Amino acid sequence: MELKELEYIVTIAEEGGISRAAQKLYLAQSSLSQFLSRYEAELDTKLFQRTGAGVRPTAAGEVFIANARQML
């Protein structure tokens, strides 16, 4: 686990969407989306629920994001 990965997750949560987070992080939307999918697969849990309006943290995601913020 790298700090930049934690930053990506926290930024997705703060921006409420992968596209907006990708813009803020100066990444391609597809790259950030692929990162999130791989990261969730590695953790074997969903951190975000995808909606038509963006993403919302799951219960596990909220715990992860809170801990990530403390580490950052």
Side-chain angles (χ1 to χ4, degrees):
M1 181 180 308
E2 296 183 26
L3 289 179
K4 74 174 185 171
E5 294 172 335
L6 298 178
E7 182 182 357
Y8 292 173
I9 299 297
V10 170
T11 303
I12 292 169
E14 289 174 349
E15 295 299 317
I18 294 172
S19 294
R20 290 185 295 272
Q23 287 178 331
K24 187 170 184 178
L25 294 165
Y26 302 103
L27 296 171
Q29 181 272 334
S30 60
S31 296
L32 188 58
S33 182
Q34 288 173 3
F35 156 78
L36 181 58
S37 294
R38 283 192 311 268
Y39 204 73
E40 288 177 325
E42 186 178 314
L43 294 173
D44 196 28
T45 191
K46 292 287 184 188
L47 298 175
F48 295 96
Q49 179 180 20
R50 279 79 168 162
T51 68
V55 295
R56 287 185 311 178
T58 62
E62 288 180 10
V63 172
F64 186 93
I65 292 160
N67 287 318
R69 284 185 174 126
Q70 288 181 344
M71 287 187 255
L72 291 171

